[in-house]
mmCIF file of all heavy atoms in Angstrom:
data_model
loop_
_atom_site.group_PDB
_atom_site.id
_atom_site.type_symbol
_atom_site.label_atom_id
_atom_site.label_comp_id
_atom_site.label_asym_id
_atom_site.label_seq_id
_atom_site.Cartn_x
_atom_site.Cartn_y
_atom_site.Cartn_z
ATOM 1 N N SER U 26 70.352 151.956 37.594
ATOM 2 C CA SER U 26 70.664 153.387 37.461
ATOM 3 C C SER U 26 70.580 153.852 36.019
ATOM 4 O O SER U 26 71.296 154.746 35.595
ATOM 5 C CB SER U 26 72.070 153.662 38.017
ATOM 6 O OG SER U 26 73.029 152.899 37.298
ATOM 7 N N ASN U 27 69.700 153.195 35.258
ATOM 8 C CA ASN U 27 69.553 153.584 33.850
ATOM 9 C C ASN U 27 69.047 155.014 33.672
ATOM 10 O O ASN U 27 69.232 155.626 32.628
ATOM 11 C CB ASN U 27 68.594 152.621 33.138
ATOM 12 C CG ASN U 27 69.195 151.220 33.039
ATOM 13 O OD1 ASN U 27 70.418 151.074 33.036
ATOM 14 N ND2 ASN U 27 68.339 150.201 32.987
ATOM 15 N N PHE U 28 68.389 155.525 34.715
ATOM 16 C CA PHE U 28 67.849 156.886 34.625
ATOM 17 C C PHE U 28 68.955 157.939 34.697
ATOM 18 O O PHE U 28 68.751 159.094 34.399
ATOM 19 C CB PHE U 28 66.827 157.134 35.757
ATOM 20 C CG PHE U 28 65.670 156.175 35.702
ATOM 21 C CD1 PHE U 28 65.562 155.135 36.618
ATOM 22 C CD2 PHE U 28 64.692 156.315 34.726
ATOM 23 C CE1 PHE U 28 64.491 154.266 36.577
ATOM 24 C CE2 PHE U 28 63.607 155.438 34.690
ATOM 25 C CZ PHE U 28 63.515 154.392 35.612
ATOM 26 N N LEU U 29 70.132 157.482 35.167
ATOM 27 C CA LEU U 29 71.265 158.396 35.303
ATOM 28 C C LEU U 29 72.291 158.102 34.223
ATOM 29 O O LEU U 29 72.534 156.959 33.871
ATOM 30 C CB LEU U 29 71.926 158.253 36.685
ATOM 31 C CG LEU U 29 71.059 158.615 37.886
ATOM 32 C CD1 LEU U 29 71.757 158.189 39.169
ATOM 33 C CD2 LEU U 29 70.764 160.095 37.908
ATOM 34 N N ASP U 30 72.901 159.178 33.725
ATOM 35 C CA ASP U 30 73.945 159.017 32.711
ATOM 36 C C ASP U 30 75.259 158.724 33.421
ATOM 37 O O ASP U 30 76.104 159.598 33.602
ATOM 38 C CB ASP U 30 74.044 160.304 31.872
ATOM 39 C CG ASP U 30 74.988 160.113 30.703
ATOM 40 O OD1 ASP U 30 75.499 158.994 30.536
ATOM 41 O OD2 ASP U 30 75.219 161.111 29.978
ATOM 42 N N THR U 31 75.412 157.492 33.869
ATOM 43 C CA THR U 31 76.582 157.115 34.655
ATOM 44 C C THR U 31 76.937 155.664 34.393
ATOM 45 O O THR U 31 76.130 154.876 33.895
ATOM 46 C CB THR U 31 76.315 157.324 36.169
ATOM 47 O OG1 THR U 31 77.454 156.908 36.897
ATOM 48 C CG2 THR U 31 75.111 156.533 36.623
ATOM 49 N N GLU U 32 78.159 155.296 34.733
ATOM 50 C CA GLU U 32 78.624 153.921 34.529
ATOM 51 C C GLU U 32 78.194 152.988 35.657
ATOM 52 O O GLU U 32 78.352 151.781 35.577
ATOM 53 C CB GLU U 32 80.157 153.918 34.417
ATOM 54 C CG GLU U 32 80.673 154.729 33.221
ATOM 55 C CD GLU U 32 82.186 154.770 33.190
ATOM 56 O OE1 GLU U 32 82.796 154.253 34.150
ATOM 57 O OE2 GLU U 32 82.757 155.320 32.233
ATOM 58 N N ILE U 33 77.664 153.479 36.726
ATOM 59 C CA ILE U 33 77.246 152.648 37.865
ATOM 60 C C ILE U 33 75.962 151.916 37.501
ATOM 61 O O ILE U 33 75.021 152.505 36.950
ATOM 62 C CB ILE U 33 77.053 153.519 39.122
ATOM 63 C CG1 ILE U 33 78.402 154.155 39.497
ATOM 64 C CG2 ILE U 33 76.502 152.706 40.262
ATOM 65 C CD1 ILE U 33 78.323 155.095 40.659
ATOM 66 N N ASP U 34 75.909 150.586 37.834
ATOM 67 C CA ASP U 34 74.780 149.731 37.418
ATOM 68 C C ASP U 34 73.529 149.948 38.254
ATOM 69 O O ASP U 34 72.410 149.865 37.749
ATOM 70 C CB ASP U 34 75.175 148.247 37.472
ATOM 71 C CG ASP U 34 76.277 147.933 36.467
ATOM 72 O OD1 ASP U 34 76.312 148.626 35.424
ATOM 73 O OD2 ASP U 34 77.083 147.038 36.739
ATOM 74 N N SER U 35 73.691 150.131 39.557
ATOM 75 C CA SER U 35 72.514 150.190 40.435
ATOM 76 C C SER U 35 72.671 151.254 41.499
ATOM 77 O O SER U 35 73.762 151.755 41.757
ATOM 78 C CB SER U 35 72.289 148.821 41.102
ATOM 79 O OG SER U 35 73.408 148.487 41.906
ATOM 80 N N ILE U 36 71.525 151.509 42.138
ATOM 81 C CA ILE U 36 71.483 152.481 43.212
ATOM 82 C C ILE U 36 70.586 151.944 44.312
ATOM 83 O O ILE U 36 69.580 151.279 44.050
ATOM 84 C CB ILE U 36 70.959 153.835 42.697
ATOM 85 C CG1 ILE U 36 70.983 154.872 43.821
ATOM 86 C CG2 ILE U 36 69.563 153.708 42.119
ATOM 87 C CD1 ILE U 36 70.666 156.269 43.345
ATOM 88 N N GLN U 37 70.992 152.152 45.552
ATOM 89 C CA GLN U 37 70.209 151.700 46.694
ATOM 90 C C GLN U 37 69.116 152.724 46.992
ATOM 91 O O GLN U 37 69.375 153.910 47.107
ATOM 92 C CB GLN U 37 71.109 151.541 47.921
ATOM 93 C CG GLN U 37 72.144 150.436 47.808
ATOM 94 C CD GLN U 37 71.485 149.061 47.791
ATOM 95 O OE1 GLN U 37 70.422 148.856 48.370
ATOM 96 N NE2 GLN U 37 72.116 148.106 47.107
ATOM 97 N N PHE U 38 67.875 152.214 47.118
ATOM 98 C CA PHE U 38 66.742 153.087 47.438
ATOM 99 C C PHE U 38 66.046 152.523 48.663
ATOM 100 O O PHE U 38 65.744 151.335 48.710
ATOM 101 C CB PHE U 38 65.758 153.159 46.273
ATOM 102 C CG PHE U 38 64.674 154.177 46.473
ATOM 103 C CD1 PHE U 38 64.839 155.473 46.046
ATOM 104 C CD2 PHE U 38 63.485 153.831 47.112
ATOM 105 C CE1 PHE U 38 63.822 156.413 46.232
ATOM 106 C CE2 PHE U 38 62.482 154.764 47.306
ATOM 107 C CZ PHE U 38 62.652 156.071 46.862
ATOM 108 N N LYS U 39 65.801 153.324 49.633
ATOM 109 C CA LYS U 39 65.176 152.884 50.880
ATOM 110 C C LYS U 39 63.793 153.496 50.977
ATOM 111 O O LYS U 39 63.626 154.707 50.922
ATOM 112 C CB LYS U 39 66.029 153.301 52.070
ATOM 113 C CG LYS U 39 65.594 152.674 53.398
ATOM 114 C CD LYS U 39 66.459 153.168 54.525
ATOM 115 C CE LYS U 39 67.865 152.605 54.430
ATOM 116 N NZ LYS U 39 67.915 151.135 54.684
ATOM 117 N N LYS U 40 62.801 152.601 51.127
ATOM 118 C CA LYS U 40 61.415 153.039 51.314
ATOM 119 C C LYS U 40 61.093 152.961 52.800
ATOM 120 O O LYS U 40 61.192 151.899 53.420
ATOM 121 C CB LYS U 40 60.476 152.155 50.513
ATOM 122 C CG LYS U 40 58.998 152.534 50.611
ATOM 123 C CD LYS U 40 58.157 151.597 49.747
ATOM 124 C CE LYS U 40 56.677 151.921 49.836
ATOM 125 N NZ LYS U 40 55.856 151.000 49.019
ATOM 126 N N ILE U 41 60.729 154.077 53.375
ATOM 127 C CA ILE U 41 60.503 154.138 54.825
ATOM 128 C C ILE U 41 59.038 154.489 55.073
ATOM 129 O O ILE U 41 58.533 155.483 54.563
ATOM 130 C CB ILE U 41 61.418 155.177 55.485
ATOM 131 C CG1 ILE U 41 62.888 154.884 55.151
ATOM 132 C CG2 ILE U 41 61.204 155.200 56.990
ATOM 133 C CD1 ILE U 41 63.842 155.936 55.637
ATOM 134 N N THR U 42 58.378 153.601 55.879
ATOM 135 C CA THR U 42 56.962 153.809 56.208
ATOM 136 C C THR U 42 56.801 153.833 57.710
ATOM 137 O O THR U 42 57.358 152.994 58.429
ATOM 138 C CB THR U 42 56.086 152.690 55.626
ATOM 139 O OG1 THR U 42 56.333 152.589 54.217
ATOM 140 C CG2 THR U 42 54.615 152.975 55.857
ATOM 141 N N ASN U 43 56.053 154.783 58.162
ATOM 142 C CA ASN U 43 55.772 154.904 59.588
ATOM 143 C C ASN U 43 54.378 154.331 59.868
ATOM 144 O O ASN U 43 53.387 154.768 59.295
ATOM 145 C CB ASN U 43 55.832 156.378 60.000
ATOM 146 C CG ASN U 43 55.496 156.573 61.482
ATOM 147 O OD1 ASN U 43 54.791 157.502 61.826
ATOM 148 N ND2 ASN U 43 55.969 155.720 62.358
ATOM 149 N N LYS U 44 54.326 153.261 60.754
ATOM 150 C CA LYS U 44 53.056 152.635 61.123
ATOM 151 C C LYS U 44 52.739 152.976 62.572
ATOM 152 O O LYS U 44 53.516 152.677 63.477
ATOM 153 C CB LYS U 44 53.142 151.122 60.959
ATOM 154 C CG LYS U 44 51.867 150.380 61.373
ATOM 155 C CD LYS U 44 52.060 148.875 61.299
ATOM 156 C CE LYS U 44 50.809 148.140 61.773
ATOM 157 N NZ LYS U 44 50.984 146.674 61.784
ATOM 158 N N LYS U 45 51.586 153.597 62.792
ATOM 159 C CA LYS U 45 51.156 153.951 64.143
ATOM 160 C C LYS U 45 49.835 153.251 64.446
ATOM 161 O O LYS U 45 48.918 153.287 63.630
ATOM 162 C CB LYS U 45 50.981 155.467 64.271
ATOM 163 C CG LYS U 45 52.290 156.236 64.215
ATOM 164 C CD LYS U 45 52.069 157.712 64.495
ATOM 165 C CE LYS U 45 53.391 158.461 64.507
ATOM 166 N NZ LYS U 45 53.209 159.891 64.812
ATOM 167 N N THR U 46 49.783 152.610 65.647
ATOM 168 C CA THR U 46 48.571 151.878 66.070
ATOM 169 C C THR U 46 48.184 152.318 67.469
ATOM 170 O O THR U 46 49.043 152.430 68.356
ATOM 171 C CB THR U 46 48.807 150.361 66.065
ATOM 172 O OG1 THR U 46 49.259 149.965 64.760
ATOM 173 C CG2 THR U 46 47.524 149.615 66.397
ATOM 174 N N THR U 47 46.884 152.526 67.642
ATOM 175 C CA THR U 47 46.345 152.866 68.978
ATOM 176 C C THR U 47 45.204 151.884 69.273
ATOM 177 O O THR U 47 44.233 151.792 68.513
ATOM 178 C CB THR U 47 45.808 154.298 69.014
ATOM 179 O OG1 THR U 47 46.850 155.197 68.646
ATOM 180 C CG2 THR U 47 45.278 154.635 70.402
ATOM 181 N N THR U 48 45.338 151.119 70.411
ATOM 182 C CA THR U 48 44.321 150.130 70.806
ATOM 183 C C THR U 48 43.747 150.508 72.168
ATOM 184 O O THR U 48 44.505 150.778 73.105
ATOM 185 C CB THR U 48 44.918 148.718 70.902
ATOM 186 O OG1 THR U 48 45.537 148.413 69.635
ATOM 187 C CG2 THR U 48 43.837 147.689 71.201
ATOM 188 N N LYS U 49 42.407 150.515 72.228
ATOM 189 C CA LYS U 49 41.720 150.857 73.473
ATOM 190 C C LYS U 49 41.041 149.599 74.025
ATOM 191 O O LYS U 49 40.271 148.955 73.326
ATOM 192 C CB LYS U 49 40.681 151.934 73.200
ATOM 193 C CG LYS U 49 39.860 152.343 74.411
ATOM 194 C CD LYS U 49 38.830 153.393 74.024
ATOM 195 C CE LYS U 49 37.927 153.760 75.202
ATOM 196 N NZ LYS U 49 36.880 154.728 74.796
ATOM 197 N N ILE U 50 41.363 149.261 75.292
ATOM 198 C CA ILE U 50 40.805 148.054 75.943
ATOM 199 C C ILE U 50 40.017 148.480 77.184
ATOM 200 O O ILE U 50 40.524 149.235 78.011
ATOM 201 C CB ILE U 50 41.910 147.061 76.350
ATOM 202 C CG1 ILE U 50 42.678 146.624 75.077
ATOM 203 C CG2 ILE U 50 41.334 145.864 77.064
ATOM 204 C CD1 ILE U 50 43.867 145.741 75.387
ATOM 205 N N ILE U 51 38.768 147.937 77.280
ATOM 206 C CA ILE U 51 37.925 148.230 78.460
ATOM 207 C C ILE U 51 37.766 146.940 79.257
ATOM 208 O O ILE U 51 37.450 145.880 78.704
ATOM 209 C CB ILE U 51 36.537 148.748 78.030
ATOM 210 C CG1 ILE U 51 36.701 150.014 77.167
ATOM 211 C CG2 ILE U 51 35.655 149.028 79.226
ATOM 212 C CD1 ILE U 51 35.401 150.531 76.603
ATOM 213 N N ALA U 52 37.965 146.973 80.585
ATOM 214 C CA ALA U 52 37.860 145.782 81.444
ATOM 215 C C ALA U 52 36.428 145.247 81.457
ATOM 216 O O ALA U 52 35.458 146.012 81.378
ATOM 217 C CB ALA U 52 38.295 146.118 82.862
ATOM 218 N N GLY U 53 36.250 143.852 81.585
ATOM 219 C CA GLY U 53 34.924 143.216 81.629
ATOM 220 C C GLY U 53 34.194 143.514 82.924
ATOM 221 O O GLY U 53 34.763 144.027 83.895
ATOM 222 N N LEU U 54 32.908 143.063 82.957
ATOM 223 C CA LEU U 54 32.100 143.334 84.145
ATOM 224 C C LEU U 54 32.602 142.580 85.367
ATOM 225 O O LEU U 54 32.442 143.025 86.487
ATOM 226 C CB LEU U 54 30.623 142.960 83.865
ATOM 227 C CG LEU U 54 29.943 143.808 82.774
ATOM 228 C CD1 LEU U 54 28.522 143.290 82.542
ATOM 229 C CD2 LEU U 54 29.935 145.271 83.156
ATOM 230 N N ASP U 55 33.159 141.395 85.141
ATOM 231 C CA ASP U 55 33.653 140.617 86.275
ATOM 232 C C ASP U 55 35.029 141.101 86.724
ATOM 233 O O ASP U 55 35.602 140.579 87.679
ATOM 234 C CB ASP U 55 33.721 139.118 85.903
ATOM 235 C CG ASP U 55 34.571 138.905 84.657
ATOM 236 O OD1 ASP U 55 35.119 139.938 84.114
ATOM 237 O OD2 ASP U 55 34.707 137.771 84.221
ATOM 238 N N GLY U 56 35.534 142.109 86.001
ATOM 239 C CA GLY U 56 36.822 142.668 86.408
ATOM 240 C C GLY U 56 37.996 141.870 85.959
ATOM 241 O O GLY U 56 39.133 142.259 86.178
ATOM 242 N N ASN U 57 37.801 140.727 85.315
ATOM 243 C CA ASN U 57 38.930 139.887 84.905
ATOM 244 C C ASN U 57 39.122 139.878 83.389
ATOM 245 O O ASN U 57 40.237 139.799 82.891
ATOM 246 C CB ASN U 57 38.708 138.452 85.390
ATOM 247 C CG ASN U 57 38.711 138.385 86.917
ATOM 248 O OD1 ASN U 57 39.508 139.055 87.550
ATOM 249 N ND2 ASN U 57 37.806 137.581 87.485
ATOM 250 N N LYS U 58 38.061 139.936 82.666
ATOM 251 C CA LYS U 58 38.144 139.763 81.222
ATOM 252 C C LYS U 58 38.230 141.133 80.537
ATOM 253 O O LYS U 58 37.468 142.028 80.853
ATOM 254 C CB LYS U 58 36.908 139.010 80.718
ATOM 255 C CG LYS U 58 37.007 138.599 79.249
ATOM 256 C CD LYS U 58 35.787 137.811 78.887
ATOM 257 C CE LYS U 58 35.870 137.359 77.431
ATOM 258 N NZ LYS U 58 34.671 136.594 77.044
ATOM 259 N N SER U 59 39.179 141.216 79.647
ATOM 260 C CA SER U 59 39.347 142.474 78.914
ATOM 261 C C SER U 59 39.150 142.227 77.437
ATOM 262 O O SER U 59 39.661 141.252 76.882
ATOM 263 C CB SER U 59 40.748 143.060 79.149
ATOM 264 O OG SER U 59 40.940 143.347 80.515
ATOM 265 N N LEU U 60 38.426 143.086 76.789
ATOM 266 C CA LEU U 60 38.158 142.958 75.362
ATOM 267 C C LEU U 60 38.594 144.242 74.627
ATOM 268 O O LEU U 60 38.375 145.360 75.130
ATOM 269 C CB LEU U 60 36.666 142.728 75.117
ATOM 270 C CG LEU U 60 36.097 141.422 75.709
ATOM 271 C CD1 LEU U 60 34.589 141.441 75.545
ATOM 272 C CD2 LEU U 60 36.714 140.206 75.025
ATOM 273 N N PRO U 61 39.229 144.106 73.463
ATOM 274 C CA PRO U 61 39.562 145.312 72.681
ATOM 275 C C PRO U 61 38.282 146.041 72.299
ATOM 276 O O PRO U 61 37.358 145.429 71.798
ATOM 277 C CB PRO U 61 40.275 144.764 71.452
ATOM 278 C CG PRO U 61 40.727 143.389 71.844
ATOM 279 C CD PRO U 61 39.708 142.891 72.798
ATOM 280 N N ASP U 62 38.301 147.299 72.566
ATOM 281 C CA ASP U 62 37.116 148.092 72.221
ATOM 282 C C ASP U 62 37.300 148.802 70.871
ATOM 283 O O ASP U 62 36.425 148.735 70.017
ATOM 284 C CB ASP U 62 36.847 149.114 73.319
ATOM 285 C CG ASP U 62 35.615 149.930 73.027
ATOM 286 O OD1 ASP U 62 34.560 149.335 72.793
ATOM 287 O OD2 ASP U 62 35.745 151.184 73.007
ATOM 288 N N ARG U 63 38.462 149.440 70.700
ATOM 289 C CA ARG U 63 38.728 150.154 69.445
ATOM 290 C C ARG U 63 40.197 149.998 69.075
ATOM 291 O O ARG U 63 41.057 149.890 69.939
ATOM 292 C CB ARG U 63 38.393 151.642 69.580
ATOM 293 C CG ARG U 63 36.902 151.931 69.678
ATOM 294 C CD ARG U 63 36.686 153.428 69.727
ATOM 295 N NE ARG U 63 35.278 153.761 69.825
ATOM 296 C CZ ARG U 63 34.821 155.003 69.910
ATOM 297 N NH1 ARG U 63 35.676 156.012 69.904
ATOM 298 N NH2 ARG U 63 33.529 155.227 69.994
ATOM 299 N N ARG U 64 40.442 150.050 67.732
ATOM 300 C CA ARG U 64 41.810 149.935 67.241
ATOM 301 C C ARG U 64 41.985 150.921 66.067
ATOM 302 O O ARG U 64 41.224 150.896 65.123
ATOM 303 C CB ARG U 64 42.100 148.511 66.771
ATOM 304 C CG ARG U 64 43.542 148.286 66.327
ATOM 305 C CD ARG U 64 43.699 146.849 65.846
ATOM 306 N NE ARG U 64 45.045 146.588 65.394
ATOM 307 C CZ ARG U 64 46.029 146.161 66.190
ATOM 308 N NH1 ARG U 64 45.769 145.976 67.480
ATOM 309 N NH2 ARG U 64 47.235 145.940 65.705
ATOM 310 N N PHE U 65 42.999 151.787 66.173
ATOM 311 C CA PHE U 65 43.271 152.781 65.128
ATOM 312 C C PHE U 65 44.657 152.524 64.545
ATOM 313 O O PHE U 65 45.629 152.342 65.292
ATOM 314 C CB PHE U 65 43.238 154.203 65.710
ATOM 315 C CG PHE U 65 41.917 154.554 66.339
ATOM 316 C CD1 PHE U 65 41.737 154.413 67.715
ATOM 317 C CD2 PHE U 65 40.865 155.025 65.565
ATOM 318 C CE1 PHE U 65 40.525 154.740 68.304
ATOM 319 C CE2 PHE U 65 39.667 155.353 66.165
ATOM 320 C CZ PHE U 65 39.484 155.210 67.538
ATOM 321 N N GLU U 66 44.755 152.485 63.224
ATOM 322 C CA GLU U 66 46.035 152.291 62.561
ATOM 323 C C GLU U 66 46.232 153.379 61.492
ATOM 324 O O GLU U 66 45.277 153.768 60.833
ATOM 325 C CB GLU U 66 46.100 150.919 61.875
ATOM 326 C CG GLU U 66 46.223 149.767 62.848
ATOM 327 C CD GLU U 66 46.410 148.438 62.125
ATOM 328 O OE1 GLU U 66 46.081 148.382 60.913
ATOM 329 O OE2 GLU U 66 46.886 147.513 62.744
ATOM 330 N N SER U 67 47.492 153.834 61.341
ATOM 331 C CA SER U 67 47.809 154.814 60.288
ATOM 332 C C SER U 67 49.170 154.489 59.702
ATOM 333 O O SER U 67 50.074 154.038 60.409
ATOM 334 C CB SER U 67 47.821 156.233 60.872
ATOM 335 O OG SER U 67 48.859 156.383 61.817
ATOM 336 N N PHE U 68 49.282 154.655 58.387
ATOM 337 C CA PHE U 68 50.535 154.399 57.679
ATOM 338 C C PHE U 68 50.965 155.694 56.954
ATOM 339 O O PHE U 68 50.166 156.286 56.210
ATOM 340 C CB PHE U 68 50.372 153.276 56.664
ATOM 341 C CG PHE U 68 50.048 151.953 57.301
ATOM 342 C CD1 PHE U 68 48.717 151.609 57.566
ATOM 343 C CD2 PHE U 68 51.060 151.065 57.632
ATOM 344 C CE1 PHE U 68 48.414 150.407 58.154
ATOM 345 C CE2 PHE U 68 50.748 149.849 58.218
ATOM 346 C CZ PHE U 68 49.420 149.507 58.488
ATOM 347 N N THR U 69 52.197 156.109 57.160
ATOM 348 C CA THR U 69 52.705 157.362 56.567
ATOM 349 C C THR U 69 54.078 157.137 55.951
ATOM 350 O O THR U 69 54.968 156.562 56.606
ATOM 351 C CB THR U 69 52.810 158.461 57.641
ATOM 352 O OG1 THR U 69 51.561 158.612 58.307
ATOM 353 C CG2 THR U 69 53.214 159.783 56.999
ATOM 354 N N ARG U 70 54.199 157.544 54.686
ATOM 355 C CA ARG U 70 55.513 157.499 54.047
ATOM 356 C C ARG U 70 56.349 158.668 54.567
ATOM 357 O O ARG U 70 55.926 159.822 54.511
ATOM 358 C CB ARG U 70 55.363 157.606 52.531
ATOM 359 C CG ARG U 70 54.807 156.370 51.839
ATOM 360 C CD ARG U 70 55.874 155.312 51.653
ATOM 361 N NE ARG U 70 56.903 155.742 50.727
ATOM 362 C CZ ARG U 70 56.850 155.566 49.406
ATOM 363 N NH1 ARG U 70 55.791 154.981 48.859
ATOM 364 N NH2 ARG U 70 57.834 155.976 48.637
ATOM 365 N N LEU U 71 57.520 158.374 55.076
ATOM 366 C CA LEU U 71 58.408 159.425 55.594
ATOM 367 C C LEU U 71 59.296 159.941 54.449
ATOM 368 O O LEU U 71 60.441 159.527 54.273
ATOM 369 C CB LEU U 71 59.248 158.883 56.743
ATOM 370 C CG LEU U 71 58.446 158.328 57.927
ATOM 371 C CD1 LEU U 71 59.387 157.811 59.009
ATOM 372 C CD2 LEU U 71 57.538 159.410 58.497
ATOM 373 N N LYS U 72 58.714 160.862 53.671
ATOM 374 C CA LYS U 72 59.407 161.322 52.470
ATOM 375 C C LYS U 72 60.722 162.033 52.786
ATOM 376 O O LYS U 72 61.732 161.839 52.097
ATOM 377 C CB LYS U 72 58.495 162.254 51.666
ATOM 378 C CG LYS U 72 59.133 162.739 50.372
ATOM 379 C CD LYS U 72 58.193 163.628 49.582
ATOM 380 C CE LYS U 72 58.877 164.150 48.325
ATOM 381 N NZ LYS U 72 58.003 165.015 47.533
#
């Protein structure tokens, strides 16, 4: 807490990040096997 003119030594700071993922899977031709087709990820700081 050196940035503050105070006698307290430290301050708790919490960094919060929002992670969002979207995965698209299409079934195989034999109807049994599935493979990931697309994957979308986003990271956002929750200010």
